[in-house]
Amino acid sequence: MASSSTSSSIPPAVSAHIRFLTAVAAVMVVYIHGTTVGFTSGDWSDPSAWIQGYLSHNLFHVSLLIFFFCSAFLLFVGVDGIGDIGGKLRKRGRSLIVPYLLWSGLWLVVLLLARLVGNLDLGAQEAPSGVEAVLYRLFVDPVAGQLWFLRDLIVLTALSPLLFVLPRWVGPALLAAAYVVWLWVPTPTVIENRSGWWEIVSTEAIVWFLAGVVAARFLDLDKLDRILRDRRAWVSLASCVGYLLLPLAKGGPFMPASVAFGLSTTLGFVFLVSLYPWIARLVHSEVVARFGSFSFLLYAGHYPTLKIVGLSVVAILGPSAEVALATYALAPLVVIIGVIFGLSVLGRVWPGAVLALNGYRPVYPFLASRTVK
């Protein structure tokens, strides 16, 4: 647990690295949804598809671990008991539920209008018909599939005060047990692929939310700051090697695919965290501060826009492997720039809308002084 001298504030190095990690994670998530294999042959064995699969469905998946860990860490840091968490939960509820409903509703309206006006396929699931189906897509299974993260996070945040009712050792014990389950019995991240009520929250979400909670409650912030600043080249090198090579062992005779995947993304998390001493100047730069404030907006706003762009490019230039790979590399960048530019313009015209879409988090620089009250 953080000491009393440090519990009220996060050291600048830790805070800046969290901002950097979430910015990197946001870009990774865009590329996860940027694969173009489905637009062409659908064969994941050709070289173009293999590269996309190796990056988007293996290495870049570490982004979700980062998001859950950082969300839980920031919620629990400096909290000594259930009485301290009430104010944080109120703010967190507003910063999660409001944007979840806004983005879910926005993409649902866009999907319905596209089907109604032009019978267009936006790369989303089938448009709902009937009040019950519309409500289900709005609250439970959003059109923008990436919102599953917010839905799982809302559930975990609501349940998190239970950790203060249970004995202190329960948190680490649950984390260890959940980690083993996650390695061997992972839950599908896509909500429609989950099979029952026991999968209302993914095992991945549980593990890395608990990891953030345990880190916030058991690690002294001053010590964490010192660890982060300490250069340990062997940690960075070893974790990087495991992060890059373990995906190649997926499905092999000695390692089940889920275990290789889980260990690889875990080592990827360690690798990215360990980079701070080597990239401290970049982490604390104004570029990262500006870009990092758009991380949540990029996460929530990139899809299904990205799929529309990818489908359009492949339809115009043809479904060759070269076009598919080039589209995979460039379309996410176009969407990232478009989301940041579009929301920046909207923020100057209608700042309250962007603030709400961002969960009342400050957006640098034009909404930097407007936060949750």
Side-chain angles (χ1 to χ4, degrees):
M1 182 180 296
S3 65
S4 58
S5 62
T6 60
S7 62
S8 60
S9 61
I10 301 175
V14 177
S15 179
H17 203 42
I18 287 175
R19 181 174 59 237
F20 173 78
L21 290 175
T22 54
V24 171
V27 174
M28 287 182 171
V29 168
V30 178
Y31 271 92
I32 286 175
H33 296 131
T35 56
T36 57
V37 179
F39 308 159
T40 54
S41 65
D43 181 8
W44 287 95
S45 63
D46 71 68
S48 169
W50 187 90
I51 292 172
Q52 295 182 48
Y54 175 69
L55 294 175
S56 287
H57 297 308
N58 289 283
L59 301 189
F60 293 166
H61 201 90
V62 70
S63 57
L64 298 172
L65 281 56
I66 291 171
F67 280 135
F68 281 115
F69 179 93
C70 291
S71 295
F73 179 83
L74 292 174
L75 176 63
F76 275 81
V77 69
V79 174
D80 294 321
I82 195 168
D84 297 334
I85 203 171
K88 279 195 168 185
L89 283 177
R90 285 192 294 272
K91 287 185 177 181
R92 181 59 64 90
R94 190 183 182 196
S95 68
L96 293 177
I97 295 173
V98 171
Y100 176 79
L101 294 178
L102 286 177
W103 282 108
S104 180
L106 175 64
W107 285 122
L108 182 58
V109 169
V110 171
L111 174 63
L112 292 172
L113 286 177
R115 296 286 173 86
L116 179 65
V117 176
N119 196 28
L120 299 176
D121 179 8
L122 300 185
Q125 302 168 20
E126 184 178 349
S129 59
V131 175
E132 183 177 347
V134 168
L135 292 177
Y136 180 79
R137 296 306 301 275
L138 176 64
F139 293 104
V140 180
D141 189 7
V143 168
Q146 70 270 20
L147 295 181
W148 74 267
F149 160 77
L150 279 182
R151 199 200 72 155
D152 281 17
L153 188 56
I154 289 169
V155 175
L156 289 171
T157 300
L159 295 175
S160 62
L162 293 175
L163 293 173
F164 290 108
V165 178
L166 301 171
R168 183 176 170 80
W169 58 266
V170 170
L174 282 176
L175 172 59
Y179 189 84
V180 172
V181 173
W182 173 55
L183 289 181
W184 292 94
V185 192
T187 306
T189 55
V190 178
I191 293 172
E192 68 172 358
N193 292 338
R194 300 182 190 179
S195 58
W197 63 267
W198 58 89
E199 292 184 338
I200 188 173
V201 176
S202 70
T203 49
E204 181 176 65
I206 294 172
V207 168
W208 290 96
F209 187 88
L210 283 173
V213 172
V214 170
R217 296 193 70 194
F218 287 84
L219 292 181
D220 180 277
L221 286 177
D222 288 333
K223 184 177 181 180
L224 183 61
D225 184 51
R226 291 193 298 271
I227 292 173
L228 191 63
R229 293 174 181 276
D230 191 13
R231 291 176 180 241
R232 289 182 170 86
W234 68 270
V235 173
S236 299
L237 180 60
S239 58
C240 180
V241 170
Y243 177 42
L244 296 177
L245 295 184
L246 277 172
L248 305 180
K250 285 175 63 175
F254 304 108
M255 186 172 293
S258 62
V259 175
F261 176 82
L263 293 177
S264 170
T265 50
T266 300
L267 290 173
F269 178 85
V270 173
F271 169 65
L272 291 173
V273 170
S274 73
L275 286 180
Y276 176 81
W278 316 100
I279 58 172
R281 181 174 295 182
L282 172 63
V283 168
H284 291 274
S285 68
E286 186 176 352
V287 172
V288 171
R290 287 175 178 266
F291 186 82
S293 68
F294 282 89
S295 297
F296 182 88
L297 293 170
L298 283 176
Y299 186 94
H302 74 276
Y303 192 87
T305 305
L306 178 58
K307 193 159 189 177
I308 298 170
V309 173
L311 281 169
S312 301
V313 172
V314 173
I316 294 170
L317 299 180
S320 67
E322 294 77 15
V323 169
L325 190 58
T327 303
Y328 169 72
L330 299 176
L333 294 178
V334 172
V335 170
I336 289 170
I337 293 170
V339 169
I340 292 176
F341 177 78
L343 290 174
S344 295
V345 172
L346 179 62
R348 296 186 183 278
V349 177
W350 191 6
V354 175
L355 200 66
L357 288 170
N358 201 36
Y360 300 95
R361 301 167 181 85
V363 184
Y364 189 89
F366 53 87
L367 294 176
S369 62
R370 301 183 61 173
T371 57
V372 180
K373 301 297 183 184

